[in-house]
Amino acid sequence: MYQDLFYRSFRDSIFIEEQLLTWIFQFLLTLVSAQSKHDSVMQKKAVFMARESCGYLLLNVTCVFCYSVPLYTNHKFTNRGLKGDTSVNDYGRYRIA
C-alpha cells in the first residue's frame, strides 16, 4: 500500500532517506501559522476554550521570560540537547548553538 502511494506521489519506487527528508522539509516550508486561534484571540476576535486558556497561562508563566511575545522567540539558536544525526552529515546550526 505505502509503496504504491510513494510511487504515485514521487514517481520513484526507490526510497532514499535523504530524498524523504528533503520532501518533508519542502512540505514544512509550506506550513503557515497565520490566522491561528492564538492570532484571533490576540486580535480579540475569538476566545480560548478552558484548556487553551490553561495552556496559554502556562506558556506565559514559564516561557515568556526567555521568549517574548508576540513571536515567542529570543532570536537566538539554542542547543536543545538533541544529538545530531551523523549519518546525514547535516549539522545545521551546530557551531552556533
Side-chain angles (χ1 to χ4, degrees), residues 65-79:
F65 297 108
C66 299
Y67 305 104
S68 61
V69 292
L71 300 177
Y72 296 98
T73 181
N74 60 7
H75 301 287
K76 296 179 182 176
F77 296 105
T78 306
N79 183 343

Side-chain angles (χ1 to χ4, degrees), residues 17 21 82-92 94:
E17 184 177 346
L21 293 174
L82 301 174
K83 293 182 179 180
D85 185 350
T86 56
S87 67
V88 178
N89 198 25
D90 177 7
Y91 293 95
Y94 179 79

Side-chain angles (χ1 to χ4, degrees), residues 29-73:
L29 288 175
T30 68
L31 300 178
V32 178
S33 65
Q35 299 308 315
S36 67
K37 175 85 175 259
H38 178 269
D39 295 332
S40 296
V41 171
M42 295 301 109
Q43 295 167 4
K44 308 222 183 295
K45 295 178 181 177
V47 294
F48 285 132
M49 297 176 74
R51 292 183 75 185
E52 293 168 329
S53 291
C54 289
Y56 184 67
L57 178 64
L58 180 64
L59 176 75
N60 283 310
V61 168
T62 59
C63 301
V64 78
F65 297 108
C66 299
Y67 305 104
S68 61
V69 292
L71 300 177
Y72 296 98
T73 181

